[in-house]
PDB file of all heavy atoms in Angstrom:
ATOM      1  N   GLN A   1     -31.265 179.827  -4.326  1.00 88.00           N
ATOM      2  CA  GLN A   1     -32.187 179.726  -3.189  1.00 88.00           C
ATOM      3  C   GLN A   1     -33.344 178.804  -3.585  1.00 88.00           C
ATOM      4  O   GLN A   1     -33.918 178.959  -4.665  1.00 88.00           O
ATOM      5  CB  GLN A   1     -32.704 181.139  -2.837  1.00 88.00           C
ATOM      6  CG  GLN A   1     -33.192 181.264  -1.427  1.00 88.00           C
ATOM      7  CD  GLN A   1     -34.707 181.241  -1.372  1.00 88.00           C
ATOM      8  OE1 GLN A   1     -35.372 181.356  -2.404  1.00 88.00           O
ATOM      9  NE2 GLN A   1     -35.254 181.042  -0.177  1.00 88.00           N
ATOM     10  N   LYS A   2     -33.617 177.799  -2.780  1.00 86.00           N
ATOM     11  CA  LYS A   2     -34.522 176.723  -3.167  1.00 86.00           C
ATOM     12  C   LYS A   2     -35.844 177.219  -3.729  1.00 86.00           C
ATOM     13  O   LYS A   2     -36.353 176.692  -4.724  1.00 86.00           O
ATOM     14  CB  LYS A   2     -34.794 175.800  -1.969  1.00 86.00           C
ATOM     15  CG  LYS A   2     -33.618 174.887  -1.640  1.00 86.00           C
ATOM     16  CD  LYS A   2     -33.995 173.904  -0.542  1.00 86.00           C
ATOM     17  CE  LYS A   2     -32.811 172.962  -0.235  1.00 86.00           C
ATOM     18  NZ  LYS A   2     -33.162 171.996   0.823  1.00 86.00           N
ATOM     19  N   GLU A   3     -36.434 178.223  -3.079  1.00 85.00           N
ATOM     20  CA  GLU A   3     -37.724 178.730  -3.545  1.00 85.00           C
ATOM     21  C   GLU A   3     -37.565 179.659  -4.755  1.00 85.00           C
ATOM     22  O   GLU A   3     -38.558 180.054  -5.371  1.00 85.00           O
ATOM     23  CB  GLU A   3     -38.462 179.482  -2.430  1.00 85.00           C
ATOM     24  CG  GLU A   3     -38.984 178.559  -1.319  1.00 85.00           C
ATOM     25  CD  GLU A   3     -37.859 178.175  -0.348  1.00 85.00           C
ATOM     26  OE1 GLU A   3     -36.801 178.855  -0.382  1.00 85.00           O
ATOM     27  OE2 GLU A   3     -38.038 177.211   0.405  1.00 85.00           O
ATOM     28  N   GLY A   4     -36.312 180.024  -5.091  1.00 83.00           N
ATOM     29  CA  GLY A   4     -36.077 180.919  -6.239  1.00 83.00           C
ATOM     30  C   GLY A   4     -36.577 182.331  -6.006  1.00 83.00           C
ATOM     31  O   GLY A   4     -36.940 183.030  -6.968  1.00 83.00           O
ATOM     32  N   LYS A   5     -36.625 182.761  -4.749  1.00 89.00           N
ATOM     33  CA  LYS A   5     -37.172 184.089  -4.435  1.00 89.00           C
ATOM     34  C   LYS A   5     -36.226 185.234  -4.840  1.00 89.00           C
ATOM     35  O   LYS A   5     -36.671 186.358  -5.034  1.00 89.00           O
ATOM     36  CB  LYS A   5     -37.491 184.181  -2.945  1.00 89.00           C
ATOM     37  CG  LYS A   5     -38.636 183.282  -2.515  1.00 89.00           C
ATOM     38  CD  LYS A   5     -38.924 183.435  -1.032  1.00 89.00           C
ATOM     39  CE  LYS A   5     -40.091 182.548  -0.599  1.00 89.00           C
ATOM     40  NZ  LYS A   5     -40.384 182.691   0.847  1.00 89.00           N
ATOM     41  N   ILE A   6     -34.908 184.929  -4.910  1.00 91.00           N
ATOM     42  CA  ILE A   6     -33.966 185.971  -5.352  1.00 91.00           C
ATOM     43  C   ILE A   6     -33.965 185.968  -6.876  1.00 91.00           C
ATOM     44  O   ILE A   6     -33.271 185.180  -7.532  1.00 91.00           O
ATOM     45  CB  ILE A   6     -32.552 185.699  -4.804  1.00 91.00           C
ATOM     46  CG1 ILE A   6     -32.556 185.656  -3.275  1.00 91.00           C
ATOM     47  CG2 ILE A   6     -31.566 186.758  -5.287  1.00 91.00           C
ATOM     48  CD1 ILE A   6     -31.207 185.346  -2.645  1.00 91.00           C
ATOM     49  N   ASP A   7     -34.769 186.855  -7.446  1.00 92.00           N
ATOM     50  CA  ASP A   7     -34.982 186.884  -8.897  1.00 92.00           C
ATOM     51  C   ASP A   7     -34.415 188.181  -9.481  1.00 92.00           C
ATOM     52  O   ASP A   7     -35.021 189.251  -9.337  1.00 92.00           O
ATOM     53  CB  ASP A   7     -36.476 186.780  -9.204  1.00 92.00           C
ATOM     54  CG  ASP A   7     -36.744 186.630 -10.699  1.00 92.00           C
ATOM     55  OD1 ASP A   7     -35.765 186.661 -11.479  1.00 92.00           O
ATOM     56  OD2 ASP A   7     -37.928 186.507 -11.070  1.00 92.00           O
ATOM     57  N   PRO A   8     -33.265 188.125 -10.142  1.00 94.00           N
ATOM     58  CA  PRO A   8     -32.653 189.349 -10.680  1.00 94.00           C
ATOM     59  C   PRO A   8     -33.474 190.020 -11.765  1.00 94.00           C
ATOM     60  O   PRO A   8     -33.299 191.203 -12.038  1.00 94.00           O
ATOM     61  CB  PRO A   8     -31.310 188.853 -11.228  1.00 94.00           C
ATOM     62  CG  PRO A   8     -31.470 187.391 -11.431  1.00 94.00           C
ATOM     63  CD  PRO A   8     -32.427 186.934 -10.389  1.00 94.00           C
ATOM     64  N   ASP A   9     -34.413 189.285 -12.407  1.00 92.00           N
ATOM     65  CA  ASP A   9     -35.264 189.903 -13.429  1.00 92.00           C
ATOM     66  C   ASP A   9     -36.183 190.961 -12.828  1.00 92.00           C
ATOM     67  O   ASP A   9     -36.619 191.873 -13.530  1.00 92.00           O
ATOM     68  CB  ASP A   9     -36.115 188.834 -14.123  1.00 92.00           C
ATOM     69  CG  ASP A   9     -35.293 187.998 -15.101  1.00 92.00           C
ATOM     70  OD1 ASP A   9     -34.917 188.547 -16.141  1.00 92.00           O
ATOM     71  OD2 ASP A   9     -35.018 186.820 -14.799  1.00 92.00           O
ATOM     72  N   LYS A  10     -36.493 190.835 -11.551  1.00 92.00           N
ATOM     73  CA  LYS A  10     -37.394 191.777 -10.889  1.00 92.00           C
ATOM     74  C   LYS A  10     -36.656 192.890 -10.149  1.00 92.00           C
ATOM     75  O   LYS A  10     -37.279 193.789  -9.600  1.00 92.00           O
ATOM     76  CB  LYS A  10     -38.291 191.013  -9.895  1.00 92.00           C
ATOM     77  CG  LYS A  10     -39.184 189.980 -10.560  1.00 92.00           C
ATOM     78  CD  LYS A  10     -39.998 189.222  -9.519  1.00 92.00           C
ATOM     79  CE  LYS A  10     -40.885 188.177 -10.189  1.00 92.00           C
ATOM     80  NZ  LYS A  10     -41.673 187.397  -9.181  1.00 92.00           N
ATOM     81  N   GLY A  11     -35.318 192.786 -10.118  1.00 94.00           N
ATOM     82  CA  GLY A  11     -34.527 193.782  -9.387  1.00 94.00           C
ATOM     83  C   GLY A  11     -34.222 193.292  -7.984  1.00 94.00           C
ATOM     84  O   GLY A  11     -35.139 192.901  -7.247  1.00 94.00           O
ATOM     85  N   ILE A  12     -32.950 193.248  -7.619  1.00 95.00           N
ATOM     86  CA  ILE A  12     -32.545 192.749  -6.306  1.00 95.00           C
ATOM     87  C   ILE A  12     -31.511 193.703  -5.711  1.00 95.00           C
ATOM     88  O   ILE A  12     -30.866 194.489  -6.403  1.00 95.00           O
ATOM     89  CB  ILE A  12     -31.955 191.328  -6.407  1.00 95.00           C
ATOM     90  CG1 ILE A  12     -30.774 191.281  -7.412  1.00 95.00           C
ATOM     91  CG2 ILE A  12     -33.024 190.330  -6.797  1.00 95.00           C
ATOM     92  CD1 ILE A  12     -30.112 189.917  -7.517  1.00 95.00           C
ATOM     93  N   THR A  13     -31.350 193.633  -4.382  1.00 95.00           N
ATOM     94  CA  THR A  13     -30.369 194.480  -3.707  1.00 95.00           C
ATOM     95  C   THR A  13     -28.959 193.973  -4.007  1.00 95.00           C
ATOM     96  O   THR A  13     -28.780 192.843  -4.502  1.00 95.00           O
ATOM     97  CB  THR A  13     -30.598 194.472  -2.194  1.00 95.00           C
ATOM     98  OG1 THR A  13     -30.329 193.148  -1.688  1.00 95.00           O
ATOM     99  CG2 THR A  13     -32.027 194.879  -1.833  1.00 95.00           C
ATOM    100  N   LEU A  14     -27.961 194.786  -3.696  1.00 96.00           N
ATOM    101  CA  LEU A  14     -26.575 194.370  -3.944  1.00 96.00           C
ATOM    102  C   LEU A  14     -26.162 193.222  -3.028  1.00 96.00           C
ATOM    103  O   LEU A  14     -25.325 192.395  -3.414  1.00 96.00           O
ATOM    104  CB  LEU A  14     -25.637 195.570  -3.762  1.00 96.00           C
ATOM    105  CG  LEU A  14     -25.718 196.619  -4.883  1.00 96.00           C
ATOM    106  CD1 LEU A  14     -24.923 197.865  -4.517  1.00 96.00           C
ATOM    107  CD2 LEU A  14     -25.199 196.043  -6.204  1.00 96.00           C
ATOM    108  N   ASP A  15     -26.744 193.146  -1.850  1.00 95.00           N
ATOM    109  CA  ASP A  15     -26.482 191.993  -0.969  1.00 95.00           C
ATOM    110  C   ASP A  15     -26.978 190.710  -1.634  1.00 95.00           C
ATOM    111  O   ASP A  15     -26.278 189.688  -1.665  1.00 95.00           O
ATOM    112  CB  ASP A  15     -27.199 192.183   0.377  1.00 95.00           C
ATOM    113  CG  ASP A  15     -26.309 192.869   1.404  1.00 95.00           C
ATOM    114  OD1 ASP A  15     -25.092 192.614   1.391  1.00 95.00           O
ATOM    115  OD2 ASP A  15     -26.833 193.673   2.184  1.00 95.00           O
ATOM    116  N   GLU A  16     -28.205 190.777  -2.160  1.00 95.00           N
ATOM    117  CA  GLU A  16     -28.782 189.603  -2.822  1.00 95.00           C
ATOM    118  C   GLU A  16     -28.019 189.267  -4.106  1.00 95.00           C
ATOM    119  O   GLU A  16     -27.788 188.090  -4.403  1.00 95.00           O
ATOM    120  CB  GLU A  16     -30.261 189.870  -3.143  1.00 95.00           C
ATOM    121  CG  GLU A  16     -31.149 189.968  -1.903  1.00 95.00           C
ATOM    122  CD  GLU A  16     -32.550 190.432  -2.221  1.00 95.00           C
ATOM    123  OE1 GLU A  16     -32.712 191.202  -3.206  1.00 95.00           O
ATOM    124  OE2 GLU A  16     -33.489 190.044  -1.506  1.00 95.00           O
ATOM    125  N   ALA A  17     -27.624 190.297  -4.849  1.00 96.00           N
ATOM    126  CA  ALA A  17     -26.878 190.058  -6.091  1.00 96.00           C
ATOM    127  C   ALA A  17     -25.518 189.432  -5.805  1.00 96.00           C
ATOM    128  O   ALA A  17     -25.070 188.531  -6.542  1.00 96.00           O
ATOM    129  CB  ALA A  17     -26.694 191.371  -6.849  1.00 96.00           C
ATOM    130  N   THR A  18     -24.863 189.879  -4.734  1.00 96.00           N
ATOM    131  CA  THR A  18     -23.573 189.294  -4.350  1.00 96.00           C
ATOM    132  C   THR A  18     -23.740 187.822  -4.000  1.00 96.00           C
ATOM    133  O   THR A  18     -22.938 186.969  -4.425  1.00 96.00           O
ATOM    134  CB  THR A  18     -22.977 190.060  -3.153  1.00 96.00           C
ATOM    135  OG1 THR A  18     -22.787 191.435  -3.508  1.00 96.00           O
ATOM    136  CG2 THR A  18     -21.647 189.468  -2.731  1.00 96.00           C
ATOM    137  N   ASN A  19     -24.790 187.507  -3.252  1.00 95.00           N
ATOM    138  CA  ASN A  19     -25.087 186.121  -2.895  1.00 95.00           C
ATOM    139  C   ASN A  19     -25.381 185.300  -4.157  1.00 95.00           C
ATOM    140  O   ASN A  19     -24.910 184.160  -4.313  1.00 95.00           O
ATOM    141  CB  ASN A  19     -26.282 186.088  -1.944  1.00 95.00           C
ATOM    142  CG  ASN A  19     -26.655 184.677  -1.525  1.00 95.00           C
ATOM    143  OD1 ASN A  19     -25.791 183.793  -1.457  1.00 95.00           O
ATOM    144  ND2 ASN A  19     -27.940 184.446  -1.275  1.00 95.00           N
ATOM    145  N   TRP A  20     -26.111 185.914  -5.102  1.00 96.00           N
ATOM    146  CA  TRP A  20     -26.493 185.226  -6.339  1.00 96.00           C
ATOM    147  C   TRP A  20     -25.248 184.866  -7.151  1.00 96.00           C
ATOM    148  O   TRP A  20     -25.054 183.722  -7.549  1.00 96.00           O
ATOM    149  CB  TRP A  20     -27.422 186.149  -7.134  1.00 96.00           C
ATOM    150  CG  TRP A  20     -28.210 185.466  -8.222  1.00 96.00           C
ATOM    151  CD1 TRP A  20     -29.470 184.960  -8.116  1.00 96.00           C
ATOM    152  CD2 TRP A  20     -27.785 185.230  -9.571  1.00 96.00           C
ATOM    153  NE1 TRP A  20     -29.877 184.411  -9.310  1.00 96.00           N
ATOM    154  CE2 TRP A  20     -28.854 184.570 -10.230  1.00 96.00           C
ATOM    155  CE3 TRP A  20     -26.632 185.497 -10.283  1.00 96.00           C
ATOM    156  CZ2 TRP A  20     -28.789 184.176 -11.556  1.00 96.00           C
ATOM    157  CZ3 TRP A  20     -26.558 185.108 -11.618  1.00 96.00           C
ATOM    158  CH2 TRP A  20     -27.614 184.463 -12.245  1.00 96.00           C
ATOM    159  N   PHE A  21     -24.370 185.845  -7.405  1.00 96.00           N
ATOM    160  CA  PHE A  21     -23.174 185.593  -8.213  1.00 96.00           C
ATOM    161  C   PHE A  21     -22.186 184.665  -7.505  1.00 96.00           C
ATOM    162  O   PHE A  21     -21.546 183.822  -8.155  1.00 96.00           O
ATOM    163  CB  PHE A  21     -22.476 186.924  -8.547  1.00 96.00           C
ATOM    164  CG  PHE A  21     -23.128 187.687  -9.663  1.00 96.00           C
ATOM    165  CD1 PHE A  21     -23.681 188.944  -9.434  1.00 96.00           C
ATOM    166  CD2 PHE A  21     -23.199 187.158 -10.942  1.00 96.00           C
ATOM    167  CE1 PHE A  21     -24.278 189.658 -10.460  1.00 96.00           C
ATOM    168  CE2 PHE A  21     -23.793 187.862 -11.977  1.00 96.00           C
ATOM    169  CZ  PHE A  21     -24.347 189.120 -11.734  1.00 96.00           C
ATOM    170  N   THR A  22     -22.075 184.789  -6.197  1.00 96.00           N
ATOM    171  CA  THR A  22     -21.146 183.931  -5.444  1.00 96.00           C
ATOM    172  C   THR A  22     -21.571 182.465  -5.546  1.00 96.00           C
ATOM    173  O   THR A  22     -20.740 181.569  -5.751  1.00 96.00           O
ATOM    174  CB  THR A  22     -21.104 184.368  -3.964  1.00 96.00           C
ATOM    175  OG1 THR A  22     -20.663 185.738  -3.889  1.00 96.00           O
ATOM    176  CG2 THR A  22     -20.134 183.494  -3.172  1.00 96.00           C
ATOM    177  N   THR A  23     -22.891 182.236  -5.412  1.00 95.00           N
ATOM    178  CA  THR A  23     -23.408 180.863  -5.492  1.00 95.00           C
ATOM    179  C   THR A  23     -23.239 180.300  -6.909  1.00 95.00           C
ATOM    180  O   THR A  23     -22.882 179.126  -7.093  1.00 95.00           O
ATOM    181  CB  THR A  23     -24.889 180.826  -5.092  1.00 95.00           C
ATOM    182  OG1 THR A  23     -25.050 181.418  -3.800  1.00 95.00           O
ATOM    183  CG2 THR A  23     -25.413 179.400  -5.065  1.00 95.00           C
ATOM    184  N   ILE A  24     -23.480 181.130  -7.904  1.00 95.00           N
ATOM    185  CA  ILE A  24     -23.331 180.683  -9.295  1.00 95.00           C
ATOM    186  C   ILE A  24     -21.897 180.261  -9.568  1.00 95.00           C
ATOM    187  O   ILE A  24     -21.634 179.205 -10.181  1.00 95.00           O
ATOM    188  CB  ILE A  24     -23.773 181.794 -10.271  1.00 95.00           C
ATOM    189  CG1 ILE A  24     -25.280 182.046 -10.157  1.00 95.00           C
ATOM    190  CG2 ILE A  24     -23.377 181.450 -11.708  1.00 95.00           C
ATOM    191  CD1 ILE A  24     -26.137 180.849 -10.468  1.00 95.00           C
ATOM    192  N   TRP A  25     -20.928 181.071  -9.117  1.00 96.00           N
ATOM    193  CA  TRP A  25     -19.514 180.739  -9.359  1.00 96.00           C
ATOM    194  C   TRP A  25     -19.106 179.488  -8.583  1.00 96.00           C
ATOM    195  O   TRP A  25     -18.332 178.658  -9.079  1.00 96.00           O
ATOM    196  CB  TRP A  25     -18.617 181.919  -8.983  1.00 96.00           C
ATOM    197  CG  TRP A  25     -17.160 181.708  -9.266  1.00 96.00           C
ATOM    198  CD1 TRP A  25     -16.139 181.697  -8.375  1.00 96.00           C
ATOM    199  CD2 TRP A  25     -16.561 181.456 -10.543  1.00 96.00           C
ATOM    200  NE1 TRP A  25     -14.936 181.476  -8.989  1.00 96.00           N
ATOM    201  CE2 TRP A  25     -15.169 181.321 -10.339  1.00 96.00           C
ATOM    202  CE3 TRP A  25     -17.061 181.326 -11.841  1.00 96.00           C
ATOM    203  CZ2 TRP A  25     -14.282 181.060 -11.389  1.00 96.00           C
ATOM    204  CZ3 TRP A  25     -16.173 181.075 -12.881  1.00 96.00           C
ATOM    205  CH2 TRP A  25     -14.794 180.948 -12.641  1.00 96.00           C
ATOM    206  N   GLU A  26     -19.647 179.343  -7.403  1.00 94.00           N
ATOM    207  CA  GLU A  26     -19.322 178.168  -6.586  1.00 94.00           C
ATOM    208  C   GLU A  26     -19.812 176.887  -7.280  1.00 94.00           C
ATOM    209  O   GLU A  26     -19.198 175.823  -7.154  1.00 94.00           O
ATOM    210  CB  GLU A  26     -19.986 178.317  -5.210  1.00 94.00           C
ATOM    211  CG  GLU A  26     -19.652 177.208  -4.229  1.00 94.00           C
ATOM    212  CD  GLU A  26     -18.222 177.266  -3.723  1.00 94.00           C
ATOM    213  OE1 GLU A  26     -17.547 178.310  -3.917  1.00 94.00           O
ATOM    214  OE2 GLU A  26     -17.766 176.261  -3.145  1.00 94.00           O
ATOM    215  N   ASN A  27     -20.901 177.011  -8.025  1.00 94.00           N
ATOM    216  CA  ASN A  27     -21.496 175.826  -8.681  1.00 94.00           C
ATOM    217  C   ASN A  27     -21.320 175.855 -10.197  1.00 94.00           C
ATOM    218  O   ASN A  27     -22.122 175.266 -10.940  1.00 94.00           O
ATOM    219  CB  ASN A  27     -22.999 175.748  -8.357  1.00 94.00           C
ATOM    220  CG  ASN A  27     -23.263 175.495  -6.878  1.00 94.00           C
ATOM    221  OD1 ASN A  27     -23.197 174.363  -6.408  1.00 94.00           O
ATOM    222  ND2 ASN A  27     -23.542 176.575  -6.147  1.00 94.00           N
ATOM    223  N   TYR A  28     -20.262 176.535 -10.651  1.00 94.00           N
ATOM    224  CA  TYR A  28     -20.120 176.729 -12.079  1.00 94.00           C
ATOM    225  C   TYR A  28     -19.773 175.427 -12.822  1.00 94.00           C
ATOM    226  O   TYR A  28     -19.899 175.357 -14.040  1.00 94.00           O
ATOM    227  CB  TYR A  28     -19.056 177.794 -12.376  1.00 94.00           C
ATOM    228  CG  TYR A  28     -19.125 178.307 -13.794  1.00 94.00           C
ATOM    229  CD1 TYR A  28     -20.195 179.074 -14.222  1.00 94.00           C
ATOM    230  CD2 TYR A  28     -18.129 177.997 -14.717  1.00 94.00           C
ATOM    231  CE1 TYR A  28     -20.275 179.541 -15.525  1.00 94.00           C
ATOM    232  CE2 TYR A  28     -18.196 178.458 -16.030  1.00 94.00           C
ATOM    233  CZ  TYR A  28     -19.280 179.212 -16.427  1.00 94.00           C
ATOM    234  OH  TYR A  28     -19.364 179.671 -17.719  1.00 94.00           O
ATOM    235  N   ASN A  29     -19.382 174.398 -12.109  1.00 92.00           N
ATOM    236  CA  ASN A  29     -19.130 173.091 -12.735  1.00 92.00           C
ATOM    237  C   ASN A  29     -20.411 172.251 -12.826  1.00 92.00           C
ATOM    238  O   ASN A  29     -20.375 171.086 -13.196  1.00 92.00           O
ATOM    239  CB  ASN A  29     -18.068 172.322 -11.944  1.00 92.00           C
ATOM    240  CG  ASN A  29     -16.706 172.995 -12.045  1.00 92.00           C
ATOM    241  OD1 ASN A  29     -16.371 173.606 -13.059  1.00 92.00           O
ATOM    242  ND2 ASN A  29     -15.908 172.896 -10.970  1.00 92.00           N
ATOM    243  N   ASP A  30     -21.540 172.862 -12.453  1.00 92.00           N
ATOM    244  CA  ASP A  30     -22.829 172.157 -12.471  1.00 92.00           C
ATOM    245  C   ASP A  30     -23.203 171.742 -13.899  1.00 92.00           C
ATOM    246  O   ASP A  30     -22.765 172.333 -14.891  1.00 92.00           O
ATOM    247  CB  ASP A  30     -23.912 173.071 -11.889  1.00 92.00           C
ATOM    248  CG  ASP A  30     -25.231 172.344 -11.694  1.00 92.00           C
ATOM    249  OD1 ASP A  30     -25.401 171.710 -10.659  1.00 92.00           O
ATOM    250  OD2 ASP A  30     -26.071 172.444 -12.621  1.00 92.00           O
TER     251      ASP A  30
END
């Protein structure tokens, strides 16, 4: 997320965590 507001270090919901991991895997060739 451009602003980096979804920060797992601070604790995030499972919806946000799912979005976080999905995006990471989608861009894993970065």
Side-chain angles (χ1 to χ4, degrees):
Q1 203 257 348
K2 285 186 179 180
E3 289 80 15
K5 293 181 179 180
I6 301 178
D7 187 357
D9 285 289
K10 298 178 180 179
I12 56 178
T13 66
L14 288 171
D15 268 325
E16 292 171 330
T18 300
N19 180 30
W20 197 94
F21 281 117
T22 300
T23 305
I24 293 300
W25 183 241
E26 184 71 14
N27 294 279
Y28 196 68
N29 293 328
D30 188 85

